[in-house]
Amino acid sequence: MDHFLYHNGVLHAEDVPLSEIAEAVGTPFYCYSTATLTRHFRLFDEALAGMDHLVCYAMKAASNQAILKTLAALGAGMDVVSGGEYARAKAAGVPGERIVFSGVGKTRDEMRQALIGGIRQFNVESEPEMVALNAVALELGVRAPITIRVNPDVDAKTHAKIATGKSENKFGIPIARAREVYAQAAALPGLEVIGIDVHIGSQLTELAPFRLAYEKVAELTQVLRADGHDIRRLDLGGGLGIPYTRSNEAPPLPTEYGALIREVLGHLGCEIEIEPGRLIAGNAGILVARVIYVKSGEGRDFLILDAAMNDLIRPAMYDAHHDIVPLVEAAPGVEQQPYDVVGPVCESGDTFAKGRMLPPLAEGDLVAFRSAGAYGAVMSSEYNTRPLVPEVLVHGRDFAVIRSRPTFDEMINRDTIPEWL
Ligand code: LLP
């Protein structure tokens, strides 16, 4: 459930008509709902109630400071994957002890930054990374708390570009070699081995792959404890999928996911961490765009919008589906017609949808892409020198611009001219 609903025929974000924001901010823009972010975070938090746990929001999904502050105020930890994300989490007031550092290619500078600024744990993904982190920690005279990410060789049954738990993927160490790698880690004085980490992919729409992976983690916990490791924390990654269409089957709910965790891992007495991103932010955000032209092509009509692939890359990159709805609700009984929905960027990949059934639309009309809150604004670029789309956060009847649209001069002035020119 989200808070983007029609009232009196106009799509609202909570209590604000989106047309009002469009007028104030211009299009395109991203808009997030505080109530939806809050609701989604709480669903996870409550699903793990009674277990020692921390929900670490995977901020790669949407990392605006205002979004981070909203979640941090609810008690969220953060899962970061770069020095930039670490700095963003700290700037939003998240204490180091609530930040976990994931990622397959952490640099020594990033390790230093997190060890100095404070860190809950590093999720280490390889032996060379272990060696580097050990060296950095010793140099600073500290011990780095770590889990090791294991690759359970489980098929997440999701899009190939976002599956991470198969042996052919670059992530984690093969679970079959875990005992050997944990023994190596335990011998490094700059590291403190505290747990196990696993993440098998994103947009999972079934619980079965989670169950398979978590059963392997449960077994490994016992084996590693028998080897003498003090395994006391399990980081179970993110990945729970969201409904991208109103009609399709609903993916499992956080409550069902929480029940699975309790069932498979609850008896181990470990602290549980999860790293959801998409489910918290995805349906808490939309992208609003305006129709520039309706162009009649050979046997098809193109709806040319002022948003493009640089603003929302998911359809071009993953063939992702985003529901598109008019801001002004069509009158009952109006017949829908097929449109190819495209942006102004100069390549055919700049296509959001083909043959999408929509009520008749005209120049100047406003539309919204639903489910665009996760991996939307964060993956945008200035391709074609198109300014990054502003972000707006709604809270009841209030709204605020939380990232403004850069001017052309601001974009151009980031370039510098060498002295020979
Ligand atoms: N933890 C780790 C280690 C991850 O790699 C990811 C996502 C998450 C947590 C959060 O997963 P989520 O709960 O959001 O599924 N750009 C793609 C998604 C990439 C996901 C990358 N890793 C998309 O637009 O679909």
Side-chain angles (χ1 to χ4, degrees):
M1 196 212 120
D2 60 46
H3 288 78
F4 298 100
L5 299 170
Y6 288 101
H7 300 298
N8 303 321
V10 177
L11 192 64
H12 281 55
E14 303 188 18
D15 299 327
V16 184
L18 283 156
S19 45
E20 188 180 318
I21 303 178
E23 205 157 298
V25 177
T27 54
F29 65 91
Y30 277 96
C31 177
Y32 307 95
S33 148
T34 302
T36 314
L37 287 167
T38 304
R39 181 185 132 78
H40 290 165
F41 173 79
R42 291 214 170 116
L43 282 177
F44 278 114
D45 205 30
E46 285 159 16
L48 298 177
M51 301 177 80
D52 189 5
H53 72 274
L54 184 67
V55 179
C56 293
Y57 168 61
M59 61 180 278
K60 62 167 79 68
S63 56
N64 188 290
Q65 288 288 288
I67 292 176
L68 301 188
K69 270 187 178 280
T70 300
L71 294 170
L74 300 169
M78 298 288 154
D79 170 46
V80 310
V81 292
S82 69
E85 283 196 350
Y86 180 87
R88 267 188 185 277
K90 289 302 286 279
V94 183
E97 61 267 25
R98 277 202 268 145
I99 304 177
V100 304
F101 208 135
S102 298
V104 73
K106 303 172 200 79
T107 65
R108 286 169 173 76
D109 280 346
E110 288 173 330
M111 293 168 175
R112 214 166 279 124
Q113 176 190 6
L115 283 172
I116 294 169
I119 191 77
R120 182 177 182 80
Q121 99 236 357
F122 292 90
N123 295 330
V124 171
E125 298 222 15
S126 67
E127 288 128 304
E129 182 191 338
M130 228 158 68
V131 171
L133 182 58
N134 177 60
V136 174
L138 290 179
E139 191 186 291
L140 295 171
V142 296
R143 281 183 91 198
I146 67 158
T147 70
I148 297 178
R149 178 169 175 180
V150 293
N151 184 327
D153 196 19
V154 163
D155 183 355
K157 301 209 174 87
T158 184
H159 191 284
K161 283 187 185 160
I162 53 176
T164 55
K166 286 290 283 173
S167 55
E168 71 250 31
N169 301 128
K170 67 181 174 184
F171 301 97
I173 54 141
I175 198 160
R177 291 195 41 238
R179 291 181 73 186
E180 178 192 334
V181 179
Y182 270 83
Q184 283 172 33
L188 295 171
L191 304 183
E192 186 192 4
V193 178
I194 59 167
I196 305 174
D197 172 44
V198 71
H199 170 80
I200 55 174
S202 194
Q203 186 54 18
L204 273 69
T205 52
E206 297 170 32
L207 286 182
F210 286 118
R211 177 182 288 277
L212 279 178
Y214 295 170
E215 281 171 355
K216 290 189 181 196
V217 168
E219 198 188 315
L220 181 63
T221 303
Q222 309 281 27
V223 170
L224 292 176
R225 280 178 171 169
D227 283 350
H229 302 285
D230 182 12
I231 302 298
R232 51 192 186 273
R233 184 178 292 166
L234 301 177
D235 184 329
L236 303 175
L240 194 58
I242 62 170
Y244 273 98
T245 63
R246 304 273 122 175
S247 48
N248 77 350
E249 227 171 276
L253 300 170
T255 34
E256 300 168 79
Y257 175 67
L260 171 75
I261 291 174
R262 200 180 304 272
E263 181 201 327
V264 179
L265 301 160
H267 62 286
L268 294 167
C270 284
E271 187 181 3
I272 299 293
E273 269 168 18
I274 53 170
E275 302 169 349
R278 190 190 310 266
L279 200 144
I280 291 179
N283 279 323
I286 59 169
L287 171 65
V288 175
R290 194 178 288 280
V291 176
I292 308 178
Y293 298 117
V294 182
K295 173 175 167 177
S296 299
E298 290 274 327
R300 64 188 67 222
D301 285 340
F302 293 100
L303 207 57
I304 304 178
L305 305 181
D306 62 0
M309 64 189 290
N310 69 298
D311 306 313
L312 178 65
I313 192 99
R314 302 194 68 261
M317 195 152 171
Y318 314 110
D319 299 315
H321 172 101
H322 285 266
D323 274 355
I324 301 169
V325 294
L327 249 58
V328 176
E329 201 171 19
V334 165
E335 212 170 297
Q336 301 208 330
Q337 61 178 85
Y339 287 105
D340 282 11
V341 185
V342 302
V345 161
C346 304
E347 49 184 291
S348 302
D350 188 20
T351 298
F352 291 117
K354 286 195 167 158
R356 182 65 64 87
M357 297 304 287
L358 291 167
L361 287 160
E363 248 176 76
D365 285 349
L366 294 166
V367 295
F369 290 83
R370 287 193 181 271
S371 316
Y375 308 110
V378 285
M379 292 182 79
S380 58
S381 76
E382 290 181 347
Y383 187 36
N384 282 206
T385 308
R386 293 168 46 84
L388 288 182
V389 167
E391 294 177 288
V392 173
L393 182 63
V394 168
H395 181 243
R397 186 62 189 86
D398 294 332
F399 71 90
V401 174
I402 57 173
R403 188 182 72 192
S404 58
R405 195 187 312 275
T407 64
F408 293 150
D409 277 347
E410 280 164 353
M411 288 194 287
I412 295 164
N413 291 337
R414 265 188 261 128
D415 300 356
T416 48
I417 310 293
E419 62 183 21
W420 64 85
L421 282 177

